[in-house]
Amino acid sequence: MLNEKQVLEIIPVGRTTLYRMEKSGRFPKSTYIGPNRRVWFEDEIIAWQNAVDEFDPRRGRGKGRRARTIVNPC
C-alpha cells in the first residue's frame, strides 16, 4: 500500500490533479484505512502506469485544441 506522498513521488502530477483524476475515474481509487489515512494499492498503480504507457503517442491533445505541429529545425 502506498500513501499520498509515495504516490505523488511516482506519478508526476500535483495533489489536486491526482484527486481530480481519481474522481473522474482516470486513476485508481484510494482506500481509507483510518479516519485521515488514505492509501492506494501498488499493483493498481503499476497496472495504471502500464495502461498509460500503451496510449498512442500521436494522439490528439484534447477536445477543441489544435493539432501539434512538428517544426523541422533544419
Side-chain angles (χ1 to χ4, degrees), residues 4 16 21 25 28-31 43 54-55 61 64 66 73-74:
E4 179 184 296
T16 302
M21 288 170 46
K29 296 282 185 188
S30 61
T31 302
D43 59 339
E54 293 174 2
F55 284 153
R61 294 185 57 205
R66 294 182 307 170
C74 295

Side-chain angles (χ1 to χ4, degrees), residues 46-70:
I46 291 169
W48 176 83
Q49 285 179 313
N50 292 336
V52 170
D53 289 342
E54 293 174 2
F55 284 153
D56 182 8
R58 295 171 290 145
R59 68 187 181 276
R61 294 185 57 205
K63 185 175 182 180
R65 292 191 175 183
R66 294 182 307 170
R68 192 181 315 187
T69 58
I70 300 172

